[in-house]
Amino acid sequence: MAVAAAAASIAVGQVARTDKRKDRSRSPRGQAKSESDAKITHDVNKAEVDLLDGHSAEDIFRSSQNRSGYTYDDLICLPGHIAFGVHDVCLDSRFSKGITLKTPIVSSPMDTVTEHKMAIAMALQGGIGVIHTNLTVDAQVDEVMQVKKFKNGFITDPICIRPTMTLSELDELRRKHGFTGFPVTDDGRMGSKLVGLVTKRDTDFLDNRASTQVSAVMKKFADLAVADEGVELAKANQILREKKLGKLPIITAGGRLVALVARTDLRKQADFPLATKDKNGSLMVAAAIGTRPADRDRVRALVAAGVDAIIVDSSQGDSTFQHDIIRWMKAEFPELQVVGGNVVTRQQAKHLIECGVDGLRVGMGIGSICTTQEVCACGRAQASAVYNVAKVARAYGIPILADGGISSPGHIVKALCLGAGAAMCGSLLAGTEETPGEY
């Protein structure tokens, strides 16, 4: 027993001495290293959790702690990892429930932005143009028809001249437009009977330009090479090359001019795989209307001309007047795509959705020429408007157009990120070659 007790005592003493040696080994330097290792491990774990250091749209717009309105310039998209090329990017989107776009850009229905030239250019590139309503019914119908009749490579609205025009007047016309050859028709209008063609070589070195008329020097109809209406572009180009022509008129069986093909356009002609087309292969186009009773006759005329969509053009879209005309259009023309607006709140959007719209236009008081916020004290910061309306519209399968406040490509990207199906651009396009008027 004594031996066992002694052995136990020795063992306890050894353990005690070992513990004391361990305690003595914990120097300040050792403790600091241990704490540093623990901190690094903690920080790494925390960093892995906090890699997503931005904010989601839900955090920004729906937080109970934040009731601010945001514009596009208040927000920025954080970059991520890129594992694809530009050719892999798909921008397919929707203008309305029944119209898809390859390029999510829409030209605004402003009289300084969209008539047939802009609408054609937008549709060829995969977007769509909206013909403005500051026109007579007949003029707006004509703009729509020019888009629907357009064929790539054919000049469907050439400048025509009268046979009685003098050479001095022709010289001024050439300086103004920058080209030298013109078709000559009975009354100087497109669609009239073709009587000849005048080019620079016909008028060079001639005197008495103030008194000499075009009819005296032009190449007469009987001597012209022409093609019949309906000719394919490839065939028309072949005629141009084989006969070494500068211009080839396209005429009806009755001799009326319907188009022109120019040699200078041969190099410009290209395929447009993204083009927005209807089931018949024609370019798609939209038109704007108001909410007055007379606009119902305008709608009938536009539908007869082949318009693909109608946008109700109003700064305040949630009105009984717009509700009534939307319901009437959807009852009268069920297949017609109708875009309502403008709206900026979820409740406004819900009211128009209940009326049967196929799309919504979002924005109030933030366009380049819009004064709704200043005059009526109504509106909303555009980023907040787009996000909130898109949230409710998406639940019903309704695309939205972000209208206004777009002054750069970056704004378009932000609008799409916030839920827009397409961005409607006005001032961004104004002053370009395709816009109405002269600059």
Side-chain angles (χ1 to χ4, degrees):
M1 293 294 293
V3 173
S9 177
I10 292 171
V12 170
Q14 288 175 340
V15 171
R17 286 192 296 274
T18 301
D19 290 340
K20 287 179 182 179
R21 283 197 298 271
K22 285 182 181 180
D23 290 340
R24 286 194 299 271
S25 70
R26 289 180 180 173
S27 65
R29 181 178 297 176
Q31 289 179 353
K33 183 178 184 306
S34 177
E35 291 173 1
S36 176
D37 290 344
K39 185 176 185 303
I40 290 172
T41 300
H42 174 268
D43 289 347
V44 168
N45 292 336
K46 186 177 180 181
E48 291 291 337
V49 174
D50 294 340
L51 285 178
L52 298 177
D53 52 352
H55 298 282
S56 68
E58 189 76 14
D59 293 338
I60 294 172
F61 295 104
R62 301 295 293 166
S63 171
S64 60
Q65 304 301 315
N66 177 32
R67 294 301 180 189
S68 297
Y70 291 96
T71 68
Y72 292 135
D73 289 333
D74 292 327
L75 305 171
I76 193 71
C77 301
L78 294 181
H81 174 64
I82 295 177
F84 52 87
V86 174
H87 59 279
D88 296 318
V89 176
C90 177
L91 294 175
D92 289 9
S93 61
R94 291 191 299 162
F95 169 80
S96 66
K97 286 199 292 187
I99 297 178
T100 58
L101 303 177
K102 296 291 186 182
T103 304
I105 299 178
V106 179
S107 63
S108 177
M110 298 164 62
D111 54 16
T112 55
V113 176
T114 310
E115 289 182 358
H116 73 273
K117 288 184 179 179
M118 177 62 74
I120 289 169
M122 294 300 298
L124 287 175
Q125 298 299 334
I128 194 169
V130 186
I131 306 294
H132 68 86
T133 190
N134 297 334
L135 296 163
T136 64
V137 173
D138 289 342
Q140 191 178 26
V141 164
D142 183 63
E143 294 293 327
V144 168
M145 291 180 68
Q146 289 195 61
V147 180
K148 300 305 291 184
K149 292 189 300 182
F150 175 82
K151 290 185 178 180
N152 181 35
F154 291 91
I155 305 170
T156 55
D157 59 345
I159 297 172
C160 300
I161 62 175
R162 303 182 314 276
T164 55
M165 176 179 279
T166 64
L167 296 190
S168 59
E169 291 173 329
L170 179 60
D171 291 338
E172 181 60 31
L173 192 66
R174 286 170 171 168
R175 282 191 292 270
K176 180 179 179 180
H177 294 285
F179 47 87
T180 59
F182 297 88
V184 185
T185 61
D186 271 341
D187 58 3
R189 297 181 180 179
M190 178 64 178
S192 299
K193 190 169 183 178
L194 181 69
V195 296
L197 188 70
V198 63
T199 64
K200 191 172 185 298
R201 72 176 66 179
D202 298 320
T203 61
D204 280 346
F205 313 117
L206 293 179
D207 299 324
N208 302 320
R209 304 185 78 83
S211 58
T212 304
Q213 294 186 347
V214 167
S215 58
V217 299
M218 69 183 186
K219 193 171 186 178
K220 302 294 192 293
F221 177 77
D223 300 322
L224 290 177
V226 297
D228 294 330
E229 183 180 17
V231 65
E232 294 294 330
L233 181 61
K235 178 62 177 177
N237 288 338
Q238 182 182 348
I239 296 173
L240 279 175
R241 286 190 292 265
E242 289 179 352
K243 297 191 175 184
K244 299 180 180 179
L245 303 174
K247 290 179 173 59
L248 178 69
I250 312 298
I251 61 172
T252 66
R256 295 183 177 277
L257 181 67
V258 293
L260 196 69
V261 179
R263 186 178 187 86
T264 53
D265 290 333
L266 283 175
R267 294 181 180 179
K268 300 178 186 177
Q269 291 166 11
D271 292 329
F272 293 90
L274 303 180
T276 307
K277 295 183 178 181
D278 61 22
K279 61 184 179 181
N280 298 317
S282 299
L283 296 181
M284 301 189 84
V285 61
I289 64 162
T291 57
R292 297 180 178 87
D295 283 297
R296 300 190 180 197
D297 292 332
R298 184 181 291 267
V299 172
R300 292 187 182 100
L302 290 168
V303 171
V307 77
D308 298 288
I310 292 290
I311 282 189
V312 186
D313 197 8
S314 175
S315 59
Q316 158 58 302
D318 190 10
S319 68
T320 55
F321 308 106
Q322 184 160 156
H323 292 188
D324 290 344
I325 200 165
I326 289 172
R327 290 192 181 101
W328 174 81
M329 283 190 286
K330 294 306 294 182
E332 192 85 0
F333 308 104
E335 300 303 315
L336 178 65
Q337 296 293 287
V338 177
V339 178
N342 283 31
V343 298
V344 292
T345 70
R346 295 184 178 211
Q347 187 177 53
Q348 286 182 306
K350 182 67 159 44
H351 289 166
L352 293 188
I353 290 171
E354 290 171 346
C355 292
V357 294
D358 301 293
L360 288 168
R361 192 174 168 201
V362 179
M364 187 178 293
I366 39 73
S368 60
I369 60 171
C370 190
T371 59
T372 310
Q373 293 187 11
E374 289 80 3
V375 175
C376 302
C378 292
R380 193 175 196 176
Q382 185 67 346
S384 295
V386 170
Y387 176 81
N388 282 284
V389 174
K391 196 77 171 176
V392 66
R394 185 182 182 88
Y396 293 91
I398 304 294
I400 72 165
L401 307 177
D403 174 30
I406 302 289
S407 60
S408 69
H411 288 164
I412 297 175
V413 174
K414 290 177 184 179
L416 298 178
C417 289
L418 291 168
M424 180 171 279
C425 302
S427 62
L428 197 65
L429 301 172
T432 56
E433 183 179 333
E434 294 80 7
T435 53
E438 298 178 5
Y439 296 90

